[in-house]
Amino acid sequence: MTVITLPTDVTTAPLSTQRTLSRRLVHRAALAEVFLTDFQSVDDKTFRASAQLPPAHFYYGDHTGRPAMHDPLVVFESVRQMLLCAMHLQHDAGQDTKSITATASMEISDPGPLRVRGPLDLDLRGSVELAKEYGGAISRVVHKVQVMVDGQRAGTIIVDTAQRPNDVYESLRMSHRDTPPPYSDTLPAHTRGLPVAPWRVGRERAENVVLEDVRADGDGSLARLRVPVDHPSMFDHAQDHVPGPVMMEAARQSSLLLAGEQQGLSADGLFLQYVSAEYLRFAELDSDITVVTRPLPESLDGGRWTEVAFEQDGEAVARMRVRLGSTIGTEAAAR
């Protein structure tokens, strides 16, 4: 376990953005994929962290949206890294412990602060909303994180995770399989399907598209998840399943695509304002996953809501809800 010496008075000590934390602590292989710069435990219920969003990035910086803004999913990734630190430094989980996400949600309540050009420093304020132990070790925890920029709240992220020792995790992985799951670095990098044109999902690079063989289905759409096992960010290290953030990206892209097909809206003018995810079982790498997207009635806030289901071998593996916001509103907020 990586040990970090914390200041004596963590409630007032400033958070540093001078260097990133250990790759091992945030479970990343590449230094370029580490965004967390500091972590501090305050008490048994609260903790803090700082992160810096990069000015340019192969994946998180690849968007056609105008005016440009930092990707909400890089905000989510920064919080995900913070919560991995919290499991080790706040809850004393060992390196042999696996975190399994049950649910997660992110709301960008004020997108204006994300429109800063260049690098952007985040002040992340975490709290423990629920914690359960089994055998003297943490077994489930719900974290809530307020995302702050220069003292202004930009959004809120809530994540519910289970913590399991490696041997228990291995048993869970085999609960719906007859053979050991393959790892992503052993699978072919290219699929047989026809990927969506990048501009239709707000991307410039084809490598960042995760949908293929899209077809209309009533008022919604069906697509196959294009799993980019050689992607330097989505698969920063070998995985034995499809990571949750990859499915979040697919939910965003399918929602953008539907907005364009049904409402004639350009992906350039939309951004991910809200996403909630419920993970029902492991998404396997060796079987096709169908992405089913349906529009939801627009709420009073005028949001463009969709419901996205991920189906594999006849069963749902995840469900998500997405709200797309307008970048025009974002520009007005920044002004």
Side-chain angles (χ1 to χ4, degrees), residues 218-299:
D219 62 350
S221 68
L222 300 177
R224 181 162 52 221
L225 182 64
R226 184 171 181 258
V227 184
V229 293
D230 61 338
H231 195 282
S233 294
M234 290 188 242
F235 283 86
D236 164 76
H237 57 281
Q239 301 275 2
D240 68 348
H241 63 282
V242 180
V246 174
M247 290 189 280
M248 277 190 176
E249 176 62 43
R252 167 167 63 182
Q253 292 188 15
S254 64
S255 299
L256 288 170
L257 193 62
L258 198 62
E261 293 295 313
Q262 295 213 342
Q263 297 177 289
L265 299 173
S266 171
D268 296 358
L270 300 170
F271 75 100
L272 181 66
Q273 190 162 36
Y274 174 87
V275 60
S276 64
E278 180 185 14
Y279 300 104
L280 306 172
R281 55 182 293 183
F282 290 100
E284 304 293 350
L285 290 166
D286 53 356
S287 181
D288 286 348
I289 296 176
T290 301
V291 184
V292 183
T293 309
R294 300 276 183 251
L296 291 173
E298 291 191 1
S299 62

Side-chain angles (χ1 to χ4, degrees), residues 169-185:
Y169 175 83
E170 295 299 332
S171 296
L172 288 172
R173 285 301 286 118
M174 291 301 297
S175 60
H176 295 283
R177 295 185 61 93
D178 296 323
T179 58
Y183 276 82
S184 54
D185 58 352

Side-chain angles (χ1 to χ4, degrees), residues 103-218:
T103 64
S105 68
M106 174 180 65
E107 180 179 16
I108 303 300
S109 52
D110 183 1
L114 299 183
R115 289 198 62 245
V116 174
R117 292 185 179 181
L120 179 64
D121 292 342
L122 301 181
D123 175 12
L124 307 175
R125 304 177 183 179
S127 61
V128 178
E129 302 295 297
L130 173 70
K132 293 187 176 181
E133 292 188 357
Y134 179 80
I138 193 78
S139 61
R140 181 194 171 196
V141 62
V142 178
H143 290 127
K144 182 177 181 179
V145 178
Q146 303 289 348
V147 179
M148 311 293 292
V149 178
D150 292 330
Q152 184 177 0
R153 186 164 64 90
T156 304
I157 293 174
I158 301 173
V159 183
D160 183 353
T161 57
Q163 308 301 314
R164 298 292 183 268
N166 278 341
D167 56 342
V168 176
Y169 175 83
E170 295 299 332
S171 296
L172 288 172
R173 285 301 286 118
M174 291 301 297
S175 60
H176 295 283
R177 295 185 61 93
D178 296 323
T179 58
Y183 276 82
S184 54
D185 58 352
T186 68
L187 298 174
H190 302 288
T191 58
R192 63 185 182 277
L194 177 65
V196 175
W199 63 268
R200 297 178 69 192
V201 292
R203 292 288 185 176
E204 295 180 350
R205 296 177 179 269
E207 299 96 325
N208 291 324
V209 174
V210 294
L211 298 176
E212 62 186 18
D213 295 341
V214 177
R215 63 186 187 277
D217 183 56

